[in-house]
Amino acid sequence: MEMSSEEEPMASPPPPAAATATTSSCGACKCSAAEDDKTKKRRKKCELVSYDELPDWLKDNEFIHGYYRCEWPLKETILSVFSVHNETLNVWSHLVGFLLFLCLTIFTAMVIPRGGSTSTSTTTSNKIINSRNNATTRDYYWGDLMVMANMTGVLRHEALAACLLLHPADLSQHEQIPTSCPTNTSSTSSLSHHQQHQHHAIQLQDAGVVASAAVADPITRWPMFAYLGGAMACLLTSSACHLLLCHSERAAYVTLRLDYAGIAALIVTSFLPLVHYSFLCDHWLRRLYTGSIAAFGAAAVSASLVPAFQAPELRPLRAALFSGMAASGVVPVAHKLALYGGTVREAAVSACYEALMGALYGLGVAVYAARVPERWFPGRFDLVGHSHQLFHLLVVAGAYAHYLGALEYLKWRDAVKC
Ligand SMILES: [Zn+2]
């Protein structure tokens, strides 16, 4: 999306409501006083109004002067997703973000390979294979991602069986090996001829067990999918809130709380890949951090149920509450770096993505709370470029940075477990 701070509004600001509203407190849907019952049943003509014409419950940002919808009928409110008003880009920025994360979820489920057998492997051969996997899996694992993209789940399983049954010498290049294969056969090139045969014999003997372990017992993906679900929930509820809020005071009450719950869901689920994979080997730490952020999220949602929480003057408090939740992620990130920062590359790289996410979210919250640039040029950014649109873009960018960080955790824990 291209947003220019110099862009002129697409239409002149709407005139003050002159007609008398029959049912609306803002006069947005103007019905002639002389209209008969038949006319009243016809679809009302909804118009955009100025800030001064809004009822108090719709007044939020006095620096955005025009192009407001106000108490439109539900059908017109929903259809306004395709029309131009001061919420259009707020709706679409997070709707497109939702679709992006939906695609990432499908990509993660279909393409990103599920790792090999776990540390609880029961056979000696698995332990041998795992020890070599741990050193080399990362070398080919992600390079084959796009190859995996062209394989269906069935083909992947067939390829898995093939890689276990073929002799290493028959595989000229490791790219032929499906990434879901539990053994890195190419690594056997460094073994002696005798060792290769021994290795191959073990593979044949335990092929069924290994295949079963790799397919049925991979490193768990639920923290990753929980995060993707939280991100989608946040983006979708936000988009719905911006679209429907203007319909009525009741709709505003409900959708704003859904919006806050979505934000809390995004923040809480953002902790899950970080905590689960960083502290995979310490159940106590996992429970401590997960419980803490869950309690924080529940408190934030509970606080947001208080009607007074919506007051415009409490905007800084709202920003502080949710940004404080997100900022508490510094603790587990620092803990992870203290434990693994110097020895595990993925731990350091994921921390970089988390720092990038924090910077993007922090900038977004600052823009949201300061209401710039519209504060500097009131009325100039009503349609394009106001602070909330910038905030939305920064949220999507931050959430995507966190997804990239979560991929680092999968790369790490698929190769090295407890
Ligand atoms: Zn928003």
Side-chain angles (χ1 to χ4, degrees):
M1 189 187 326
E2 206 167 333
M3 293 192 295
S4 168
S5 61
E6 299 302 319
E7 188 165 339
E8 290 293 335
M10 295 169 66
S12 58
T20 302
T22 54
T23 58
S24 166
S25 60
C26 58
C29 298
K30 302 178 180 66
C31 304
S32 166
E35 66 187 2
D36 54 22
D37 290 341
K38 188 176 179 181
T39 305
K40 287 179 180 176
K41 290 179 182 177
R42 290 163 52 191
R43 181 177 161 186
K44 295 177 180 178
K45 180 184 178 184
C46 297
E47 296 179 1
L48 300 176
V49 300
S50 65
Y51 182 83
D52 293 336
E53 298 169 75
L54 296 174
D56 287 342
W57 62 268
L58 255 180
K59 286 185 175 177
D60 182 63
N61 188 341
E62 66 271 26
F63 302 120
I64 296 178
H65 286 178
Y67 306 100
Y68 287 92
R69 299 160 301 151
C70 179
E71 297 185 337
W72 287 12
L74 185 59
K75 180 182 175 186
E76 280 73 17
T77 302
I78 294 172
L79 290 177
S80 70
V81 69
F82 300 112
S83 65
V84 175
H85 45 80
N86 60 24
E87 294 279 21
T88 302
L89 291 183
N90 284 333
V91 172
W92 279 100
S93 54
H94 272 182
L95 202 52
V96 170
F98 167 78
L99 295 174
L100 167 68
F101 272 81
L102 185 61
C103 292
L104 290 176
T105 302
I106 295 169
F107 178 82
T108 305
M110 301 294 292
V111 176
I112 293 180
R114 288 169 179 268
S117 52
T118 68
S119 60
T120 57
S121 301
T122 55
T123 67
T124 303
S125 60
N126 271 355
K127 289 175 182 173
I128 295 170
I129 292 163
N130 269 345
S131 66
R132 281 197 288 273
N133 268 350
N134 292 346
T136 58
T137 299
R138 278 170 280 181
D139 296 337
Y140 70 88
Y141 196 82
W142 300 93
D144 290 342
L145 211 55
M146 296 320 296
V147 175
M148 291 294 295
N150 296 321
M151 300 173 69
T152 65
V154 172
L155 285 176
R156 263 183 281 167
H157 292 173
E158 289 176 353
L160 171 68
C163 81
L164 291 168
L165 294 172
L166 288 173
H167 188 280
D170 299 329
L171 298 169
S172 57
Q173 294 181 356
H174 72 261
E175 284 78 11
Q176 292 175 282
I177 303 168
T179 53
S180 57
C181 177
T183 77
N184 182 4
T185 316
S186 64
S187 68
T188 60
S189 59
S190 61
L191 302 177
S192 69
H193 188 68
H194 174 72
Q195 286 174 316
Q196 287 189 18
H197 275 283
Q198 189 177 32
H199 174 85
H200 181 54
I202 293 171
Q203 282 186 318
L204 286 173
Q205 184 180 0
D206 292 330
V209 177
V210 174
S212 171
V215 173
D217 191 23
I219 185 78
T220 184
R221 257 47 173 171
W222 75 261
M224 180 64 144
F225 287 112
Y227 167 65
L228 289 165
M232 286 190 290
C234 174
L235 295 168
L236 192 60
T237 55
S238 167
S239 187
C241 176
H242 283 283
L243 179 64
L244 302 174
L245 183 147
C246 72
H247 169 62
S248 66
E249 191 168 4
R250 178 70 184 166
Y253 182 88
V254 172
T255 58
L256 276 171
R257 274 144 193 82
L258 279 175
D259 193 21
Y260 293 137
I263 295 170
L266 170 65
I267 296 173
V268 170
T269 57
S270 294
F271 276 64
L272 297 177
L274 160 66
V275 168
H276 187 88
Y277 296 123
S278 294
F279 309 109
L280 187 67
C281 311
D282 192 324
H283 293 244
W284 189 86
L285 282 177
R286 286 212 315 262
R287 286 175 184 153
L288 172 68
Y289 284 128
T290 305
S292 299
I293 190 60
F296 210 155
V301 171
S302 300
S304 69
L305 292 176
V306 179
F309 194 67
Q310 306 305 325
E313 59 270 21
L314 293 184
R315 180 184 286 105
L317 178 65
R318 293 197 295 267
L321 180 62
F322 288 104
S323 55
M325 267 180 78
S328 66
V330 168
V331 177
V333 170
H335 197 164
K336 170 188 69 174
L337 286 175
L339 292 176
Y340 304 109
T343 55
V344 179
R345 179 181 173 277
E346 286 83 0
V349 173
S350 59
C352 291
Y353 280 120
E354 283 151 359
L356 175 62
M357 175 197 67
L360 290 166
Y361 283 170
L363 181 60
V365 169
V367 166
Y368 166 83
R371 290 183 288 170
V372 291
E374 67 267 22
R375 174 186 294 277
W376 299 325
F377 304 99
R380 191 78 180 271
F381 299 98
D382 287 2
L383 289 175
V384 179
H386 60 247
S387 61
H388 210 92
Q389 294 167 357
L390 303 179
F391 169 63
H392 274 202
L393 294 177
L394 289 164
V395 165
V396 173
Y400 182 66
H402 192 67
Y403 170 77
L404 296 178
L407 287 183
E408 292 294 320
Y409 287 116
L410 292 188
K411 195 195 300 187
W412 171 15
R413 288 307 187 184
D414 275 340
V416 182
K417 301 179 179 68
C418 296

Coordinates of all heavy atoms in Angstrom, one line a residue, residues 120-157:
T120 N 13.0 -39.1 22.1 CA 12.5 -40.3 22.8 C 12.6 -41.5 22.0 O 11.9 -42.5 22.2 CB 11.1 -40.1 23.4 OG1 10.3 -39.7 22.3 CG2 11.1 -39.0 24.4
S121 N 13.3 -41.4 20.8 CA 13.4 -42.6 19.9 C 13.8 -43.8 20.7 O 14.6 -43.8 21.6 CB 14.5 -42.3 18.9 OG 14.1 -41.1 18.2
T122 N 13.2 -44.9 20.3 CA 13.3 -46.1 21.1 C 14.4 -47.1 20.6 O 14.7 -48.0 21.3 CB 12.0 -46.8 21.2 OG1 11.5 -47.1 19.8 CG2 10.9 -46.0 21.9
T123 N 14.8 -46.9 19.4 CA 15.8 -47.8 18.9 C 17.2 -47.3 18.8 O 17.4 -46.1 18.8 CB 15.4 -48.2 17.4 OG1 15.6 -47.1 16.6 CG2 13.9 -48.7 17.3
T124 N 18.1 -48.2 18.9 CA 19.5 -47.8 18.9 C 19.8 -47.1 17.6 O 20.5 -46.1 17.5 CB 20.4 -49.1 19.0 OG1 20.1 -49.7 20.2 CG2 21.9 -48.7 19.0
S125 N 19.3 -47.7 16.5 CA 19.6 -47.0 15.2 C 19.0 -45.6 15.1 O 19.7 -44.7 14.6 CB 18.9 -47.9 14.1 OG 17.5 -47.9 14.2
N126 N 17.9 -45.4 15.7 CA 17.4 -44.0 15.7 C 18.3 -43.1 16.4 O 18.5 -42.0 16.0 CB 16.0 -44.0 16.4 CG 14.9 -44.3 15.5 OD1 15.1 -44.4 14.3 ND2 13.7 -44.4 16.0
K127 N 18.9 -43.6 17.5 CA 19.8 -42.7 18.3 C 21.0 -42.4 17.4 O 21.5 -41.3 17.4 CB 20.2 -43.4 19.6 CG 19.0 -43.4 20.6 CD 19.4 -44.2 21.8 CE 18.2 -44.3 22.8 NZ 18.4 -45.1 23.9
I128 N 21.5 -43.4 16.7 CA 22.7 -43.2 15.8 C 22.3 -42.2 14.8 O 23.0 -41.2 14.5 CB 23.1 -44.5 15.2 CG1 23.6 -45.5 16.2 CG2 24.2 -44.2 14.1 CD1 23.9 -46.9 15.7
I129 N 21.2 -42.4 14.2 CA 20.7 -41.5 13.1 C 20.5 -40.1 13.6 O 20.9 -39.1 13.0 CB 19.4 -42.1 12.4 CG1 19.8 -43.4 11.7 CG2 18.8 -41.1 11.5 CD1 18.5 -44.3 11.4
N130 N 19.9 -40.0 14.8 CA 19.6 -38.7 15.3 C 20.9 -37.9 15.6 O 20.9 -36.7 15.3 CB 18.8 -38.9 16.6 CG 17.3 -38.8 16.4 OD1 16.9 -38.4 15.3 ND2 16.6 -39.3 17.4
S131 N 21.9 -38.6 16.1 CA 23.1 -37.9 16.4 C 23.7 -37.3 15.2 O 24.3 -36.2 15.2 CB 24.1 -38.9 17.1 OG 24.5 -39.9 16.1
R132 N 23.6 -38.0 14.0 CA 24.1 -37.4 12.8 C 23.1 -36.3 12.3 O 23.6 -35.3 11.7 CB 24.3 -38.5 11.8 CG 25.6 -39.3 12.0 CD 26.0 -40.0 10.8 NE 25.2 -41.2 10.5 CZ 25.4 -42.4 11.0 NH1 26.4 -42.6 11.9 NH2 24.6 -43.4 10.8
N133 N 21.9 -36.6 12.4 CA 20.9 -35.6 12.0 C 21.1 -34.3 12.6 O 21.0 -33.2 12.0 CB 19.5 -36.1 12.3 CG 18.8 -36.8 11.2 OD1 19.4 -36.9 10.1 ND2 17.7 -37.5 11.5
N134 N 21.3 -34.3 14.0 CA 21.5 -33.1 14.7 C 22.5 -32.2 14.1 O 22.4 -31.0 14.2 CB 21.8 -33.4 16.2 CG 20.6 -34.1 16.9 OD1 19.5 -34.1 16.3 ND2 20.9 -34.7 18.0
A135 N 23.6 -32.8 13.6 CA 24.7 -32.0 13.1 C 24.4 -31.5 11.7 O 25.0 -30.5 11.2 CB 26.0 -32.8 13.1
T136 N 23.6 -32.2 10.9 CA 23.5 -31.9 9.5 C 22.1 -31.6 9.0 O 22.0 -31.0 7.9 CB 24.0 -33.1 8.7 OG1 23.2 -34.2 9.0 CG2 25.5 -33.4 9.0
T137 N 21.1 -31.8 9.7 CA 19.8 -31.6 9.2 C 19.6 -30.2 8.7 O 19.0 -29.9 7.7 CB 18.7 -31.9 10.3 OG1 18.9 -33.2 10.7 CG2 17.3 -31.6 9.8
R138 N 20.1 -29.2 9.5 CA 19.9 -27.8 9.1 C 20.5 -27.5 7.8 O 20.2 -26.5 7.2 CB 20.4 -26.9 10.2 CG 19.4 -26.8 11.4 CD 20.0 -26.1 12.5 NE 20.8 -27.0 13.3 CZ 21.5 -26.7 14.4 NH1 21.4 -25.4 14.8 NH2 22.2 -27.5 15.1
D139 N 21.5 -28.3 7.4 CA 22.2 -27.9 6.1 C 21.3 -28.1 4.9 O 21.5 -27.4 3.9 CB 23.5 -28.8 6.0 CG 24.5 -28.5 7.1 OD1 24.4 -27.4 7.7 OD2 25.3 -29.3 7.4
Y140 N 20.5 -29.1 4.9 CA 19.7 -29.4 3.8 C 18.2 -29.1 4.0 O 17.4 -29.0 3.1 CB 19.9 -30.8 3.3 CG 19.3 -31.9 4.1 CD1 17.9 -32.3 4.0 CD2 20.0 -32.5 5.1 CE1 17.4 -33.3 4.8 CE2 19.5 -33.5 5.9 CZ 18.2 -33.8 5.7 OH 17.6 -34.8 6.5
Y141 N 17.8 -29.1 5.2 CA 16.4 -29.1 5.6 C 15.6 -28.0 4.9 O 14.6 -28.2 4.3 CB 16.4 -28.9 7.1 CG 15.1 -29.3 7.8 CD1 14.8 -30.6 8.1 CD2 14.2 -28.3 8.1 CE1 13.6 -30.9 8.7 CE2 13.0 -28.5 8.8 CZ 12.7 -29.8 9.1 OH 11.6 -30.1 9.8
W142 N 16.1 -26.8 5.0 CA 15.4 -25.6 4.6 C 15.6 -25.4 3.1 O 14.9 -24.7 2.4 CB 15.6 -24.4 5.4 CG 15.2 -24.7 6.8 CD1 16.0 -25.3 7.8 CD2 13.9 -24.7 7.4 NE1 15.3 -25.5 8.9 CE2 14.0 -25.2 8.7 CE3 12.7 -24.3 6.8 CZ2 12.9 -25.3 9.5 CZ3 11.6 -24.4 7.7 CH2 11.7 -24.9 9.0
G143 N 16.8 -25.8 2.6 CA 17.1 -25.6 1.2 C 16.1 -26.4 0.3 O 15.9 -26.0 -0.9
D144 N 15.5 -27.4 0.8 CA 14.6 -28.2 0.0 C 13.1 -27.8 0.2 O 12.2 -28.5 -0.2 CB 14.7 -29.7 0.5 CG 16.0 -30.3 0.0 OD1 16.7 -29.7 -0.8 OD2 16.4 -31.3 0.6
L145 N 12.9 -26.6 0.8 CA 11.6 -26.2 1.1 C 10.7 -26.1 -0.1 O 9.6 -26.6 -0.1 CB 11.6 -24.9 1.8 CG 10.5 -24.6 2.9 CD1 10.5 -25.7 3.9 CD2 10.8 -23.2 3.5
M146 N 11.3 -25.5 -1.2 CA 10.4 -25.3 -2.3 C 10.2 -26.6 -3.1 O 9.2 -26.8 -3.7 CB 11.1 -24.3 -3.3 CG 11.2 -22.9 -2.7 SD 9.7 -22.4 -1.7 CE 8.5 -22.3 -3.0
V147 N 11.1 -27.5 -2.9 CA 10.9 -28.9 -3.5 C 9.7 -29.5 -2.8 O 8.8 -30.1 -3.4 CB 12.1 -29.8 -3.3 CG1 11.8 -31.2 -3.8 CG2 13.3 -29.2 -4.1
M148 N 9.7 -29.3 -1.4 CA 8.6 -29.8 -0.7 C 7.3 -29.2 -1.1 O 6.2 -29.8 -1.0 CB 8.8 -29.6 0.8 CG 10.0 -30.4 1.4 SD 9.6 -32.1 1.4 CE 8.2 -32.2 2.6
A149 N 7.3 -28.0 -1.5 CA 6.1 -27.2 -1.9 C 5.4 -27.9 -3.0 O 4.2 -27.8 -3.1 CB 6.4 -25.8 -2.2
N150 N 6.1 -28.7 -3.8 CA 5.5 -29.3 -5.0 C 5.1 -30.7 -4.7 O 4.7 -31.5 -5.6 CB 6.5 -29.3 -6.1 CG 6.8 -27.9 -6.6 OD1 5.9 -27.0 -6.6 ND2 8.1 -27.6 -6.9
M151 N 5.2 -31.1 -3.5 CA 4.9 -32.5 -3.1 C 3.7 -32.6 -2.3 O 3.5 -31.8 -1.3 CB 6.1 -33.1 -2.3 CG 7.4 -33.2 -3.1 SD 8.7 -33.7 -2.1 CE 8.3 -35.4 -1.9
T152 N 2.8 -33.5 -2.6 CA 1.6 -33.7 -1.7 C 2.1 -34.5 -0.5 O 3.1 -35.1 -0.5 CB 0.5 -34.4 -2.5 OG1 1.0 -35.7 -2.8 CG2 0.2 -33.7 -3.8
G153 N 1.2 -34.6 0.4 CA 1.5 -35.4 1.6 C 1.8 -36.8 1.3 O 2.7 -37.5 1.8
V154 N 1.0 -37.4 0.3 CA 1.2 -38.8 -0.1 C 2.5 -39.0 -0.7 O 3.3 -39.9 -0.4 CB 0.1 -39.2 -1.1 CG1 0.4 -40.5 -1.7 CG2 -1.3 -39.2 -0.4
L155 N 2.9 -38.0 -1.6 CA 4.2 -38.2 -2.2 C 5.3 -38.1 -1.2 O 6.3 -38.7 -1.3 CB 4.4 -37.1 -3.3 CG 3.6 -37.3 -4.6 CD1 3.8 -36.1 -5.5 CD2 4.1 -38.5 -5.3
R156 N 5.1 -37.2 -0.2 CA 6.1 -37.1 0.8 C 6.3 -38.4 1.5 O 7.5 -38.8 1.8 CB 5.8 -36.0 1.8 CG 6.4 -34.7 1.5 CD 6.0 -33.7 2.6 NE 4.7 -33.1 2.4 CZ 4.0 -32.4 3.2 NH1 4.6 -32.2 4.4 NH2 2.9 -32.0 3.0
H157 N 5.3 -39.1 1.8 CA 5.4 -40.4 2.5 C 6.0 -41.4 1.6 O 6.9 -42.2 2.1 CB 4.0 -40.8 3.0 CG 3.5 -40.0 4.1 ND1 2.2 -40.1 4.6 CD2 4.0 -38.9 4.8 CE1 2.0 -39.2 5.5 NE2 3.1 -38.5 5.6

